[in-house]
């Protein structure tokens, strides 16, 4: 939508205000500025508003808009007068307008910072969260235009509008004047307003997914007249799954008199059906998809699964076709899975939906699976099917032009049928949002991710995402910070998912190993050590062990307070004639499941070699339903995380134990506690339950079982720590000049900053860092030997002589640094050596610096990545650390816990803590420095890069010897603005 000549040329149409949003009921709408072209739309919209709503808007009967009103409400300067409209199908369903006013309430211009705001929502769309979404967007627009407060007059009877203002979370004042409620809202975002916004986002996006995977009716557009083909296959799978809703077949080529196909009503268009259709599966050629979308949109279809190919995976023309598909669908309020999708499955008994091309439908279970690849989806479904695992939901999103993994994290967060979320991702469309959603979801259920296309340097075809400059190792570290279980292969993802879905979380890393093979036990023991676990010596039951021996040994291990998890190893029995026998796998499985069900709730994994029927029998649980609360009576009273309200993530009590506490007997935990049972030690008054024999995951190799168990141990530890979040120490506030730093940054960037940014000079960087309590040791230039001697005299001996040329900076290995120069003679000799070896002083740019106390050289950095956001990094200085990639990363803002973990998570961390008898460094000073750097880049997004190198950490205090800072206009923060869908 472009401005007309009537609009001020000084305030061009702000197209960045346009946004697609998800409403409370899961439908979509578009928010955009109102223009002079909207006169007819405005009149039509107003005619559909009830007299009561008009009265609430104008405080008097107002049946129609005059020509003067229409002109006023469609002519804006986009600064002092702004109007936004919400549209569906191109027509207005709501409007909001603000007018800047002065202290007396009269129209004004800047610098006046208050505006009067008024809303009007069509009655048919009230209750969908339209006004709440509009308030978020008009508030963001107002802040951009220098407005800090909204004033609103609302009739006391207009409870809905009062509630919109009251629930927004902004600081507000309320008074009653002249028969109306006068509201004043401070538009500065607060923690409460951000929490309200994100809670609404979660509910809306979860509802939009629910509309797609739990429809009451499905139409397959493109159902072939002959057997075979994509559409006919989907229809067959829908019927085979026993879909509980209504099913329709649609094909424009059907004969007029054809009533059914495969027993399903057949129609030539959605419009012919004559009944509401919730979901349409589109399986027609790409050039016919727009016609199908129009047919769906005009007849109220709520969502689309587009299986058709020929979009962004086909190049530039396909990418534009894909963008138009999204625009068209959203204009009707519909969301899309696809295009180029493989389909969706929902195994809920109330739905039983298989709208996919999957040849084998998975059994019902408690794993949610999202994949961006159809081929990977097929492989995962097949692998889960063979191992007897069940799924709650499956989604293969193809090009994921609209619905993405973020949307399904919103849905799974509060889905009672899903205990574990598995995601295969090839790209992250909104990494900051993914990290935020993953952290919240991981607090109540595990999130396991495989990231494809890690090293290709390019985005998979069809995935339009921000370009990230950070390496994959950094992405992995940031995921783990958010509680995501990052694995390398889809096999590892399935291995971890089976353990997490079917077993309780371990209370610690102490692993018991038992079995009938000493060699297999030793392999398991070695694997545990390699994964950082604490295995106990394997218990060899000998090859003569019977299933009863296994049962008794497992029960004993589970009852041991010094054991947190058990790995059972099993090989075929050797018969009396000396030949190997596969034995009765079902009998052994029953014995193991009995012991696991009646002992304390601890995870159990089985490693087996060629025992027929064992894996299948272990996977065959007698129930997949969640155990009612009475079955968890042995755990301390706590809300169940899997069923906690969406706005409150409650970690299980067993996971809230501080990580420093000694590990003891496990208690039931979620997820996986739907398989834990009432134990024999039930107290008086508790109601006993009959043990349910749950699934025990089986693995063909010790390494796979142990790796899955190690991931569960690390995740459980993260859950325990996340139960008590870190904080930023208050003492920082006393030594930080945030306002002074902001003023200095504005002055350094100037009124018209270069979009590419600028690197600060040494003195400029030191001054800015000093405002955040970061002191850089002074250096003085030494363009010649005499200047070096004068500088040393000023600083005091001993000194260091260093080159600052870009190709030599921080490269002591190239001979560009001379240390501990105790007198003038040593300094002149070192100066001569440097220039003789490396070049002229004008090339080397030498400087003199006083010596710092001895310590460990480290590096602290913070950078702004366009995809991931602000990242804080730490490592030891020097080539070995760089070569090995031994650097740790955390997202900004960092807490005290993040800072402590950061310096302890590098492989060379022992050097900081007394390695080989050396004195430990001042880790508290180092953590404080990390927090100050984090605070700087968080407070001032214009600071796009900070590097402190080296930072010498001594036993008492630390010294920053070098610093560089880069400033640039701040990048857009899509994660902090009003709710909006990504544009691809």
């Amino acid at each position: 939508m472009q401005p007309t000549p009537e609009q001020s040329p000084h305030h061009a149409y702000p197209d960045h205000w346009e946004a697609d949003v998800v409403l409370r009921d899961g439908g979509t709408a578009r928010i955009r500025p109102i223009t002079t072209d909207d006169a007819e739309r405005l009149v039509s919209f107003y005619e559909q508003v009830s007299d009561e709503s008009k009265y609430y808007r104008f405080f008097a009967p107002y049946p129609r808009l005059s020509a003067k009103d229409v002109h006023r409400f469609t002519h804006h300067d986009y600064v002092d007068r702004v109007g936004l409209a919400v549209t569906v199908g191109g027509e207005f369903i709501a409007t909001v307008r603000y007018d800047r006013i002065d202290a007396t309430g009269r129209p004004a211009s800047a610098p006046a910072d208050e505006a009067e705001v008024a809303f009007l929502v069509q009655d048919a769309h009230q209750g969908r969260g339209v006004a709440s979404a509009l308030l978020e967007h008009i508030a963001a627009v107002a802040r951009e235009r220098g407005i800090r407060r909204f004033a609103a007059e609302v009739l006391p009877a207009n409870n809905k509008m009062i509630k919109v203002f009251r629930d927004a979370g902004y600081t507000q004042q309320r008074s009653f004047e002249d028969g109306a409620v006068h509201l004043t809202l401070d538009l500065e975002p607060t923690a409460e307003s951000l929490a309200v916004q994100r809670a609404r986002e979660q509910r809306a996006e979860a509802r939009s997914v629910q509309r797609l995977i739990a429809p009451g009716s499905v139409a397959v557009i493109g159902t072939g007249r002959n057997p075979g083909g994509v559409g006919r296959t989907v229809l067959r799978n829908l019927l085979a799954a026993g879909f509980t809703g209504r099913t329709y077949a649609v094909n424009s080529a059907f004969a007029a008199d054809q009533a059914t196909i495969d027993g399903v009503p057949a129609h030539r268009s959605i419009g012919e059906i004559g009944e509401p259709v919730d979901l349409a599966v589109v399986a027609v050629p790409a050039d016919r998809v727009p016609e199908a979308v129009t047919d769906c949109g005009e007849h109220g279809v709520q969502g689309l699964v587009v299986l058709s190919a020929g979009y962004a995976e086909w190049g530039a023309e396909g990418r534009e076709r894909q963008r138009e598909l999204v625009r068209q669908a959203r204009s009707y309020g519909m969301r899309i899975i696809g295009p180029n999708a493989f389909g969706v499955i929902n195994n809920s008994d109330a739905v039983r939906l298989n709208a996919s091309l999957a040849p084998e439908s998975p059994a019902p279970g408690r794993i949610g699976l999202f994949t961006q690849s159809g081929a990977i989806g097929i492989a995962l479904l097949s692998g889960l099917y063979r191992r007897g695992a069940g799924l709650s939901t499956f989604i293969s999103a193809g090009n994921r032009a609209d619905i993405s993994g973020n949307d399904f994290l919103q849905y799974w967060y509060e889905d009672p049928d899903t205990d574990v979320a598995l995601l295969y991702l090839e790209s992250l469309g909104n990494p900051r949002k993914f990290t935020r959603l993953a952290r919240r979801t991981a607090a109540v259920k595990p999130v396991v991710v495989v990231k494809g296309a890690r090293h290709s340097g390019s985005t998979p075809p069809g995935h339009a995402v921000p370009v990230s400059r950070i390496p994959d190792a950094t992405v992995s570290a940031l995921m783990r910070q958010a509680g995501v279980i990052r694995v390398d292969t889809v096999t590892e993802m399935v291995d971890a998912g089976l353990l997490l879905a079917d077993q309780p979380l371990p209370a610690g890393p102490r692993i018991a190993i038992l079995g009938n093979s000493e060699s297999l036990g030793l392999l398991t023991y070695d694997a545990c050590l390699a994964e950082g676990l604490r295995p106990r010596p394997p218990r060899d039951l000998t090859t003569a062990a019977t299933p009863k021996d296994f049962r008794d040994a497992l029960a004993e291990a589970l009852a041991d307070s010094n054991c947190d998890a058990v790995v059972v190893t099993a090989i075929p029995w050797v018969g009396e004639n000396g030949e190997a026998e596969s034995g009765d796998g079902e009998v052994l499985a029953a014995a193991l499941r009995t012991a696991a069900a009646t002992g304390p709730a601890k995870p159990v994994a089985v490693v087996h070699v060629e025992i027929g029927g064992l894996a299948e029998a272990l996977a065959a649980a007698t129930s997949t339903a969640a155990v009612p609360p009475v079955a968890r009576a042995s755990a301390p009273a706590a809300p169940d995380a899997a069923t906690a309200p969406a706005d409150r993530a409650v970690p299980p009590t067993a996971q809230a134990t501080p990580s420093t506490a000694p590990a003891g007997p496990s208690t039931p935990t979620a997820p996986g506690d739907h398989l834990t049972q009432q134990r024999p030690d039930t107290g008086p008054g508790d109601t006993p339950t009959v043990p349910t024999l749950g699934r025990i995951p089986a693995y063909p190799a010790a390494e796979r079982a142990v790796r899955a168990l190690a991931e569960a141990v690390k995740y459980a530890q993260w859950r325990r720590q996340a139960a008590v979040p870190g904080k930023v120490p208050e003492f920082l506030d006393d030594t930080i000049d945030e306002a002074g730093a902001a003023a200095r940054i504005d002055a350094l960037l100037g009124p018209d900053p270069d979009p590419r940014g600028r690197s600060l000079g040494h003195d400029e960087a030191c001054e800015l860092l000093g405002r955040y309590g970061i002191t850089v040791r002074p250096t003085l230039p030494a363009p010649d030997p005499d200047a070096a001697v004068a500088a040393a005299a000023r600083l005091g001996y001993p000194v260091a002589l260093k080159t600052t040329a870009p190709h030599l900076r921080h490269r002591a290995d190239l001979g560009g640094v001379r240390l501990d120069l105790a007198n003038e003679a040593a300094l002149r000799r070192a100066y001569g050596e440097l220039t003789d070896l490396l070049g002229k002083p004008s090339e080397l740019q030498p400087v003199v610096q006083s010596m710092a106390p001895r310590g460990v050289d480290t590096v602290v950095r913070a950078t702004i990545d366009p995809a991931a956001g602000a990242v804080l990094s730490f490592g030891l200085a020097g080539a070995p650390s760089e070569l090995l990639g031994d650097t740790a990363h955390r997202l900004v803002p960092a807490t005290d816990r993040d800072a402590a973990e950061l310096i302890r998570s590098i492989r060379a961390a022992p050097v900081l803590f007394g390695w080989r008898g050396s004195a430990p460094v001042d880790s508290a000073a180092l953590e404080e420095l990390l927090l100050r750097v984090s605070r700087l880049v968080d407070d001032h997004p214009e600071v796009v890069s900070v590097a402190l190198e080296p930072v010498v950490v001594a036993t008492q205090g630390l010294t920053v010897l070098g610093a560089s800072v880069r400033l640039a206009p701040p990048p857009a923060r899509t994660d902090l603005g009003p709710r909006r869908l990504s544009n691809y």
Side-chain angles (χ1 to χ4, degrees), residues 68 201 223 363 460 471 490 495 514 586 644 739 851 871 881 888 936 959 970:
K68 183 178 180 180
E201 173 193 66
T223 302
V490 293
D495 286 345
L514 61 92
E586 294 184 2
M851 285 296 297
V871 179
S881 290
L936 172 63
T959 307

Side-chain angles (χ1 to χ4, degrees), residues 489-689:
T489 68
V490 293
T491 300
E492 291 177 0
M493 180 168 71
V494 172
D495 286 345
L498 290 176
L499 182 75
L500 292 163
D502 296 332
Q503 297 294 306
L505 292 176
R510 300 169 302 179
I511 312 300
I513 303 168
L514 61 92
N516 62 350
S517 168
E518 181 181 11
S519 298
L520 192 53
L522 291 174
L523 287 173
T524 305
Y525 182 87
D526 291 342
C528 287
L529 291 176
E531 293 293 339
L533 301 176
R534 291 163 51 191
R536 300 173 59 189
R539 179 179 177 182
D540 183 14
L541 303 180
T542 77
T543 55
T546 65
K548 181 180 182 300
D549 296 329
F550 273 90
R551 184 192 65 194
D552 294 343
L554 177 56
E556 182 180 341
L558 292 172
D560 188 345
S561 62
N562 294 314
C563 163
D564 300 313
V566 183
V567 178
V568 178
T569 63
I571 63 171
W573 287 270
V574 178
E576 294 181 357
N577 58 2
E579 295 180 0
E581 298 178 359
S582 63
D584 190 347
E586 294 184 2
V587 175
L588 177 58
L592 295 176
R593 289 165 56 193
T594 298
T598 55
K602 299 177 183 180
V604 177
V606 174
V607 178
H608 69 98
V609 177
E610 299 297 333
I611 299 184
L614 176 60
E616 294 79 3
L618 288 170
T622 58
S623 172
T624 60
V627 172
V630 68
R632 300 187 183 126
S634 59
D640 179 23
T643 57
D647 60 348
R648 184 167 57 94
V650 183
T653 302
Q655 296 305 316
T657 305
S659 59
T660 55
S666 302
T667 52
T669 58
D673 64 356
H674 59 280
L675 296 175
T676 61
Q677 311 302 323
Q678 183 66 37
R679 304 307 184 197
D681 57 354
T682 301
D686 292 330
T687 303
T689 60

Side-chain angles (χ1 to χ4, degrees), residues 762 766 769 776-777 779 802 810 849 860 947-951 959-964:
H762 176 76
C766 292
L769 292 168
V776 182
R777 204 167 190 84
T779 60
K802 304 188 294 185
H810 310 308
Q849 189 174 49
V860 174
L948 307 181
E949 183 179 1
V951 177
T959 307
V960 180
L961 297 182
S964 62

Side-chain angles (χ1 to χ4, degrees), residues 35-94:
T35 73
T36 55
D37 294 334
D38 289 322
E40 291 185 7
R41 294 185 185 89
L42 181 66
V43 171
S44 174
F45 157 73
Y46 194 77
E47 289 175 349
Q48 298 177 63
V49 175
S50 71
D51 291 340
E52 181 183 51
S53 294
K54 292 173 182 175
Y55 186 89
Y56 285 153
R57 169 64 176 85
F58 294 103
F59 291 20
Y62 215 90
R64 64 186 59 85
L65 295 175
S66 66
K68 183 178 180 180
D69 292 328
V70 173
H71 184 275
R72 177 189 170 207
F73 293 145
T74 56
H75 287 69
H76 306 95
D77 63 7
Y78 302 130
V79 177
D80 300 324
R81 302 182 313 282
V82 172
L84 300 180
V86 182
T87 67
V88 173
E91 300 300 321
F92 286 8
I93 65 168

Side-chain angles (χ1 to χ4, degrees), residues 277-364:
V277 174
D278 296 332
L279 175 69
V281 180
V282 181
V284 298
D287 59 354
R288 291 177 50 198
V289 170
E291 176 187 348
V293 173
T294 299
D295 187 22
C296 292
E298 291 181 350
H299 294 94
V301 174
Q302 295 183 349
L304 306 172
V305 176
V306 180
L307 308 182
S308 311
Y311 288 89
E313 76 278 7
W314 282 18
E317 181 180 348
R319 280 194 294 273
E320 183 53 40
R321 185 183 298 123
Q322 182 167 298
R323 294 190 186 101
E324 182 55 37
L325 168 65
V326 174
R327 285 192 289 265
Q328 183 187 13
R330 288 180 180 173
S331 72
Y332 287 110
M334 298 184 293
R335 299 206 69 183
I336 300 173
I337 293 177
N340 196 27
F342 188 70
V344 297
I345 297 173
N346 184 352
N347 277 327
S348 168
D349 284 339
V351 182
R352 297 202 296 274
L353 173 74
N354 182 1
S356 78
L357 300 170
E360 297 173 329
S361 182

Side-chain angles (χ1 to χ4, degrees), residues 428 434-435 451 468 470-481 486 865 868 889:
L428 297 175
F434 173 81
T435 301
K451 177 70 168 59
S468 176
I470 59 178
D472 181 70
T474 306
V475 175
S476 182
L478 300 182
M479 283 189 178
R480 290 198 178 276
Q481 182 188 0
R486 170 79 183 272
D865 183 81
H889 312 273

